[in-house]
Amino acid sequence: MVGLFYLIDMKLKIAIQKSGRLYDDSLRLLKECGIIISNGGNKLKTEAANFPIEVYFLRDDDIPQYVEDGVADIGIAGENVVYEKKKKLEVLEKLGFGKCRLSIAVGKNENFSRQWLNGKKIATSYPVLLQQYLDRQKISAEIHEISGSVEIAPGIGLADAICDLVSSGSTLLTNGLKEVETILPSQAVLISNKNLDDDRRSLVKKLLFRIRAVQKARSNKYILLNAPNEKLDDIIGLLPGMKSPTVLPLAIKGWSSVHSVLEEDDFWDIIEQLKEAGAQGILVVPIEKMIV
Ligand code: ATP
Ligand code: ZN
């Protein structure tokens, strides 16, 4: 009985961003994993009704530290923050959102080469990652650390170049800058404390199983189509499927219905080929969860 009580009482603590670019997608991922939590609002933490998990809402920059210290067991943060902070953590899974890149940008009229950076002053909020890059490239430049609005530094004469996060590049453009080098492609990752006990580890395993099923489902589509029987061999040849496609006879003689699963990446190519091969009435349906 004591063991059971302990199991019911024990909760996995996950840290996610309080508000900002990762907030919505982090909550959505938990929701798609069947973990229902009340909206954070201004609360520091909340509990899930149907999974032994407690959610802490923190600034993204603080999440690696809290996870290293064990205040939270796991967390969701951008790779840019995780690698800048150099904490002793496990990176369990890339989560496919919060995509951006840490890049060097210079004035749009500069004639840039890597050697151009020698002796220059670079403004950034990522001194560790920038220094690692400069060391790799054997470039000697001065790093000027600032915490926000890095993109205005060249315009006000504070630096010759910047190293900052970019997604669309529109912020650079409006500040008269151009992106010249990518230092680190980044996305949100699930991180974990290195010393979790067995109970927490098994909860993390359970959560990861669900996350992977959600991710797999997102990148795949269920496809249904009709085809005359004499075209079936060609059509089946185009379809990968989880094992092989399902083929069912239609009420009309000489026709079949074919069901399969397609990866989003090669989706449009295959659809075109299927049409050319004689497929008709093609339906594409989202998959909610996919367990392979
Ligand atoms: P906090 O108050 O939590 O410290 P913040 O202002 O530092 O918030 P956001 O701007 O919300 O953080 O960015 C959080 C994370 O989103 C970044 O660390 C990065 O991993 C990711 N991200 C994705 N695209 C971008 C982008 N264009 N600019 C900045 N960060 C981005
Ligand atoms: Zn931050």
Side-chain angles (χ1 to χ4, degrees), residues 175-230:
N175 285 283
L177 300 170
K178 64 176 176 188
E179 185 179 359
V180 288
E181 284 273 286
T182 296
I183 289 188
L184 178 82
S186 176
Q187 60 178 287
V189 284
L190 186 72
I191 52 175
S192 165
N193 177 278
K194 278 187 169 263
N195 306 308
L196 295 185
D197 59 34
D198 288 347
D199 290 335
R200 285 181 172 77
R201 246 173 228 287
S202 76
L203 280 178
V204 171
K205 215 172 138 193
K206 227 169 150 172
L207 181 63
L208 258 183
F209 178 78
R210 295 189 189 188
I211 288 175
R212 285 176 183 146
V214 168
Q215 306 245 80
K216 193 93 188 127
R218 262 189 219 156
S219 61
N220 284 272
K221 297 273 180 265
Y222 193 78
I223 173 168
L224 304 93
L225 59 88
N226 295 332
N229 288 347
E230 67 273 13

Side-chain angles (χ1 to χ4, degrees), residues 17 59-61:
Q17 197 190 15
R59 284 199 55 203
D60 69 335
D61 316 65

Side-chain angles (χ1 to χ4, degrees), residues 63-282:
I63 291 175
Q65 178 78 59
Y66 279 106
V67 172
E68 186 188 59
D69 293 347
V71 176
D73 302 313
I74 56 174
I76 296 177
E79 287 173 295
N80 52 306
V81 165
V82 172
Y83 296 129
E84 175 69 21
K85 302 284 177 193
K86 290 209 293 191
K87 302 290 175 202
K88 294 187 188 70
L89 300 165
E90 275 177 58
V91 175
L92 298 178
E93 188 81 6
K94 293 189 191 256
L95 299 174
F97 60 83
K99 285 189 177 165
C100 58
R101 51 199 186 273
L102 185 63
S103 288
I104 292 184
V106 301
K108 64 175 189 298
N109 298 321
E110 295 295 350
N111 192 5
F112 179 84
S113 70
R114 283 182 186 160
Q115 289 316 310
W116 179 93
L117 288 170
N118 263 311
K120 295 285 195 306
K121 205 171 180 184
I122 311 172
T124 189
S125 310
Y126 294 87
V128 171
L129 291 170
L130 175 57
Q131 190 60 60
Q132 284 170 358
Y133 164 82
L134 294 174
D135 291 347
R136 274 199 310 274
Q137 302 298 335
K138 302 193 172 41
I139 295 167
S140 147
E142 188 188 332
I143 297 178
H144 189 80
E145 187 178 349
I146 45 181
S147 59
S149 304
V150 173
E151 67 282 355
I152 64 166
I156 58 172
L158 198 65
D160 306 299
I162 65 164
C163 170
D164 201 11
L165 293 176
V166 183
S167 46
S168 71
S170 58
T171 312
L172 294 183
L173 217 65
T174 51
N175 285 283
L177 300 170
K178 64 176 176 188
E179 185 179 359
V180 288
E181 284 273 286
T182 296
I183 289 188
L184 178 82
S186 176
Q187 60 178 287
V189 284
L190 186 72
I191 52 175
S192 165
N193 177 278
K194 278 187 169 263
N195 306 308
L196 295 185
D197 59 34
D198 288 347
D199 290 335
R200 285 181 172 77
R201 246 173 228 287
S202 76
L203 280 178
V204 171
K205 215 172 138 193
K206 227 169 150 172
L207 181 63
L208 258 183
F209 178 78
R210 295 189 189 188
I211 288 175
R212 285 176 183 146
V214 168
Q215 306 245 80
K216 193 93 188 127
R218 262 189 219 156
S219 61
N220 284 272
K221 297 273 180 265
Y222 193 78
I223 173 168
L224 304 93
L225 59 88
N226 295 332
N229 288 347
E230 67 273 13
K231 303 272 173 71
L232 275 180
D233 283 349
D234 288 350
I235 285 173
I236 289 170
L238 293 167
L239 292 168
M242 279 230 258
K243 285 273 185 294
S244 60
T246 308
V247 181
L248 302 165
L250 286 185
I252 307 171
K253 218 168 162 258
W255 282 74
S256 296
S257 168
V258 180
H259 301 198
S260 188
V261 172
L262 281 186
E263 282 262 2
E264 188 125 57
D265 286 347
D266 29 59
F267 177 75
W268 287 109
D269 275 349
I270 295 186
I271 296 277
E272 274 169 28
Q273 292 172 39
L274 287 169
K275 268 201 90 185
E276 272 168 32
Q280 294 182 14
I282 302 173

